[in-house]
Amino acid sequence: MQHNLKKINSELNPNVSVDCVIFGFDLEQLTVLLIDRGEISSAFGPRLALPGNLIYDNENLDMAANRVLAELTGLKNIYLEQVRAFGDPDRIHKEADREWLKSIRAEPEARVITVAYYTLVPMSDYIPQAASFAKNADWVPVNLIKELAFDHYEILQAAKDKLKQKIKIQPIGFNLLPEKFTLSQLHRLYESILEKPLDKRNFRRKIQKLDILTSLREKQRGVPHKPSSLYEFNEEKYQELTQTGFDNFGF
Amino acid sequence: MQHNLKKINSELNPNVSVDCVIFGFDLEQLTVLLIDRGEISSAFGPRLALPGNLIYDNENLDMAANRVLAELTGLKNIYLEQVRAFGDPDRIHKEADREWLKSIRAEPEARVITVAYYTLVPMSDYIPQAASFAKNADWVPVNLIKELAFDHYEILQAAKDKLKQKIKIQPIGFNLLPEKFTLSQLHRLYESILEKPLDKRNFRRKIQKLDILTSLREKQRGVPHKPSSLYEFNEEKYQELTQTGFDNFGF
DNA sequence: ATAGCTTTGTGTCAATTTTACACTATCCAA
DNA sequence: TTGGATAGTGTAAAATTGACACAAAGCTAT
C-alpha cells in the first residue's frame, strides 16, 4: 500500500461538515428540526443539535447537505439553500460536544469547518414517530430554543436572518404550509418569520395582489368561530413570478 | 514521533481555502483586484485569479481571509463579508490550475473547499506599482473579465450578486469612493453595481433624502464642463442609519 | 471673444404604494 | 340566546416612484 496523500473517493473528509436548518411551521409559530443527542451529552450541556455530519471527499456541498439530511431524518430531494460557512477553530469547545464527537468520529479532534444550509418544509413531511431510522429528530419551536450544541445556536440565528431577507424577495413562505391553508395562517407565518406584527388588512391586500393564490370553494370546519376560506398556492403563477423576479415585497 | 492525527497548530489545512473578491471603483466602472499567476499557467488557460490561499488550522475563516488578503496585496484590517462556501469536488479541473497548484502546494491533489469573501475598498488603498511584496495583483474592470482560474469566475458572479443585494439595504457604496466625491460619481457607482441605468434626478433625490451626505463648499476644478460640488460622507448619520436599519432602499 | 462641447443641477405632475384604522359576519359552546 | 373568538372588508391621507427637459458653468478651439 502506497503513501496515502491522495484520498480515496468516498472517504469522509475530517475537516468539513454540513449542518441543516430545517424550518417548519406548526400554524402557530416557526419550528426547526433538531436531533436529540441523548444522555451522552445531557450531563454536560445541550442535548439538541442541528442535523449535520462530515462530508465525503467526492461529493459537493449541496449533495452532502441533502444526503446528511436524508440519513438523519428521511427527508429526500429537498432544495437546500446555503447560509454560509462557520469556521471558528474554537467552535467545538463545550465538553459535552467533545465527548459526543469521540463517540461517533474517527478524528474527533480535527478542526472542522461547517457549511450551513436551510430550507422550509411542511411539518407533515416529517413525523417523528413514523421515522424509525431517524435518530430522535423532532420539531422544536424556534422561540423556545435557548442553546444548542456546538455553535448551532449561532447558525440557527444566521439561518433565521437569511430567511427574513429571503421572504422579502420571494414568496417562499408557502413551502411551509399544508396544501390548503387560510390567509390567517399565512399571515401568522409571515409574522413569525419576520418577528413583528403585520397589519391584517394590508397584509391580505399585498398577498392578493401577488396573484399566486387560488381561492377554493371550501371553508374551515369545526372551528369555534367564523370559518375562514381555504386557499391553494397557484404554482403556475408562482413560477412566473420567480422567473421575472420581483424586487420588492417589503413588509 | 507519534501518530499524527491531531494536527499541530499553525499547520496549513489542505482542505479549506479562502478567496477574496476585492471590489474597487475607478470612477467609471466597478473593478476587482486579481492576481496574475504568470507564465506557468498562461499556456493552458487564464492567468488571473482571485487572491486566495489555504487556511491555517488554528485561525478562523474571517481571520484567514484577512491574512491572505494582507499577504497577497498588503491590504490590512479590511472588513470582509462572507459570500458563501464553494465546494464542488471538481472545482479544480483545468489543467493549468492543477499545474499551478503543484508548484505551490504540498498536497496539490487534495480536495479543497473554499470560502469566498468580498469587500469594497477605495482603489487608492492599493496601488500596484507601490506594492513590492504583492504578487502582481492589479485592478481589472469587472466587465472585461471573461474567465478566471478555478471556479473564480463563478465566485466573482456570486460576490457581485451579493453586492447588488446589499447595496439595496445598506449604503455601502460609499466605501468605494474617495473622501470627497461628486453625486455623479456616486450615481455611476450605483449604476455599475446594479448594472442598470438609474434616472439622474430620481437618484439624487433618493440619496439626498438619506441625509448621510455633507455638502462641501468646494467644487471640482479643471474639468472641461460645469464643475460639480463635492460631498463628504457623514459617518455619524451613516452609523445611525445602519443601526436603526432601513429596510428599503430599492432602486 | 465667442461658439461649441460637455456635464451639472434642478422641479413637477400623475400614478402607485403605503399606512393607519373599526366594525360586521359567522361559527361554536355554554 | 348569548358570549367568545376569529374572518373579512374599504377608505382616505401621506409618501414614494417614475417619467421627463432645459438653463448654468466651465473648458477648448478658433
Side-chain angles (χ1 to χ4, degrees):
Chain A
M1 191 170 150
Q2 312 169 327
H3 226 66
N4 203 11
L5 277 179
K6 180 169 173 176
K7 298 231 170 72
I8 297 163
N9 275 355
S10 85
E11 199 175 302
L12 283 174
N13 185 315
N15 294 314
V16 184
S17 66
V18 290
D19 286 301
C20 304
V21 181
I22 312 300
F23 288 112
F25 180 63
D26 65 8
L27 303 188
E28 287 284 333
Q29 52 192 329
L30 199 62
T31 62
V32 66
L33 198 48
L34 297 178
I35 304 286
D36 185 338
R37 300 184 298 161
E39 296 303 330
I40 295 173
S41 69
S42 71
F44 302 99
R47 297 173 55 138
L48 299 176
L50 296 171
N53 208 345
L54 296 175
I55 68 170
Y56 284 105
D57 249 345
N58 67 338
E59 70 188 340
N60 75 36
L61 296 170
D62 298 357
M63 283 167 35
N66 228 277
R67 171 184 60 77
V68 167
L69 182 60
E71 285 174 5
L72 293 177
T73 69
L75 289 165
K76 284 176 190 160
N77 299 319
I78 305 283
Y79 171 74
L80 291 149
E81 181 148 325
Q82 191 182 127
V83 180
R84 66 178 174 90
F86 292 79
D88 194 325
D90 199 34
R91 50 182 289 273
I92 302 176
H93 64 273
K94 297 173 198 156
E95 187 59 31
D97 296 336
R98 293 185 180 285
E99 289 300 319
W100 191 57
L101 285 185
K102 277 184 200 164
S103 72
I104 58 167
R105 277 189 191 163
E107 301 182 47
E109 299 292 342
R111 184 265 174 85
V112 178
I113 79 139
T114 198
V115 180
Y117 282 81
Y118 82 99
T119 193
L120 311 171
V121 304
M123 281 182 70
S124 58
D125 276 13
Y126 176 79
I127 296 165
Q129 299 80 350
S132 57
F133 51 90
K135 294 177 181 148
N136 308 314
D138 204 352
W139 296 105
V140 181
V142 169
N143 284 333
L144 300 183
I145 300 171
K146 298 298 178 232
E147 57 171 4
L148 291 174
F150 310 115
D151 54 356
H152 287 187
Y153 187 76
E154 187 189 348
I155 293 175
L156 175 59
Q157 298 309 317
K160 274 173 58 185
D161 288 346
K162 198 111 187 179
L163 178 54
K164 265 187 211 179
Q165 274 185 37
K166 186 83 174 183
I167 206 171
K168 292 185 181 191
I169 297 182
Q170 272 189 32
I172 43 175
F174 299 95
N175 301 349
L176 285 167
L177 292 167
E179 260 195 60
K180 299 173 181 182
F181 53 87
T182 72
L183 285 184
S184 294
Q185 290 166 349
L186 187 59
H187 183 202
R188 271 194 290 273
L189 171 55
Y190 271 76
E191 287 188 329
S192 54
I193 288 179
L194 294 170
E195 298 182 293
K196 70 179 182 194
L198 301 172
D199 181 85
K200 181 167 55 160
R201 282 185 282 199
N202 295 340
F203 175 81
R204 292 165 95 95
R205 169 157 32 105
K206 207 160 201 173
I207 289 289
Q208 308 259 24
K209 188 142 54 76
L210 284 185
D211 196 29
I212 50 175
L213 295 187
T214 309
S215 172
L216 302 175
R217 289 233 156 280
E218 198 180 343
K219 285 184 182 299
Q220 276 184 316
R221 310 219 63 193
V223 288
H225 54 73
K226 178 171 175 178
S228 65
S229 27
L230 294 168
Y231 288 82
E232 244 178 14
F233 175 46
N234 182 338
E235 197 131 1
E236 213 177 312
K237 303 258 178 143
Y238 171 85
Q239 291 301 342
E240 274 181 50
L241 201 55
T242 39
Q243 297 293 327
T244 61
F246 62 116
D247 266 331
N248 209 358
F249 193 48
F251 282 101
Chain B
M1 190 171 152
Q2 311 170 325
H3 224 68
N4 202 14
L5 278 178
K6 180 168 173 178
K7 297 228 171 73
I8 298 161
N9 273 355
S10 84
E11 199 174 303
L12 283 175
N13 186 315
N15 295 314
V16 184
S17 66
V18 291
D19 286 302
C20 304
V21 182
I22 312 301
F23 288 111
F25 180 63
D26 64 9
L27 302 188
E28 288 284 332
Q29 53 193 328
L30 199 62
T31 62
V32 65
L33 198 48
L34 298 177
I35 304 285
D36 185 338
R37 300 184 298 161
E39 296 303 328
I40 295 174
S41 68
S42 69
F44 300 99
R47 297 173 54 138
L48 299 176
L50 296 171
N53 207 344
L54 297 174
I55 69 170
Y56 284 104
D57 251 343
N58 66 339
E59 70 187 340
N60 76 36
L61 296 171
D62 297 357
M63 282 166 35
N66 229 279
R67 172 185 56 79
V68 167
L69 182 60
E71 285 174 5
L72 293 177
T73 69
L75 289 165
K76 283 176 190 160
N77 299 318
I78 305 285
Y79 172 74
L80 290 149
E81 181 148 327
Q82 192 181 125
V83 180
R84 65 177 173 92
F86 291 78
D88 193 325
D90 199 33
R91 50 181 288 271
I92 302 175
H93 63 274
K94 297 172 199 157
E95 186 59 30
D97 295 337
R98 292 186 180 286
E99 290 300 319
W100 190 58
L101 286 185
K102 276 186 202 163
S103 72
I104 58 167
R105 276 190 193 164
E107 302 181 47
E109 298 293 341
R111 185 263 174 89
V112 178
I113 80 140
T114 198
V115 180
Y117 283 82
Y118 82 100
T119 194
L120 310 171
V121 303
M123 281 183 70
S124 57
D125 277 13
Y126 176 78
I127 295 164
Q129 297 80 351
S132 57
F133 49 90
K135 295 178 181 146
N136 308 311
D138 205 351
W139 296 104
V140 180
V142 169
N143 285 333
L144 299 183
I145 299 171
K146 299 298 179 230
E147 58 171 5
L148 291 172
F150 310 115
D151 54 356
H152 288 187
Y153 187 77
E154 189 190 339
I155 293 175
L156 175 59
Q157 298 309 316
K160 272 172 59 182
D161 288 346
K162 197 109 187 181
L163 179 54
K164 265 188 213 181
Q165 275 184 37
K166 187 84 174 181
I167 205 172
K168 291 184 181 190
I169 296 180
Q170 273 190 29
I172 43 175
F174 298 95
N175 300 349
L176 286 166
L177 292 167
E179 261 196 59
K180 299 174 182 183
F181 54 87
T182 72
L183 285 185
S184 296
Q185 289 165 352
L186 188 59
H187 184 204
R188 272 194 290 273
L189 172 56
Y190 271 76
E191 287 188 328
S192 54
I193 289 179
L194 294 169
E195 298 183 293
K196 71 179 182 194
L198 301 172
D199 181 85
K200 180 169 54 162
R201 280 185 281 198
N202 295 340
F203 175 81
R204 292 166 96 96
R205 177 177 6 135
K206 206 160 203 172
I207 289 290
Q208 308 259 24
K209 187 143 55 76
L210 284 185
D211 195 29
I212 49 176
L213 296 188
T214 308
S215 171
L216 302 176
R217 290 235 156 279
E218 198 180 343
K219 287 183 181 298
Q220 277 183 315
R221 310 219 63 191
V223 288
H225 55 72
K226 179 173 175 179
S228 64
S229 26
L230 294 169
Y231 288 81
E232 243 179 15
F233 176 44
N234 182 339
E235 197 131 1
E236 213 177 312
K237 303 258 177 143
Y238 172 86
Q239 291 302 341
E240 273 181 48
L241 200 55
T242 41
Q243 297 292 326
T244 63
F246 63 113
D247 266 332
N248 210 359
F249 194 49
F251 281 100

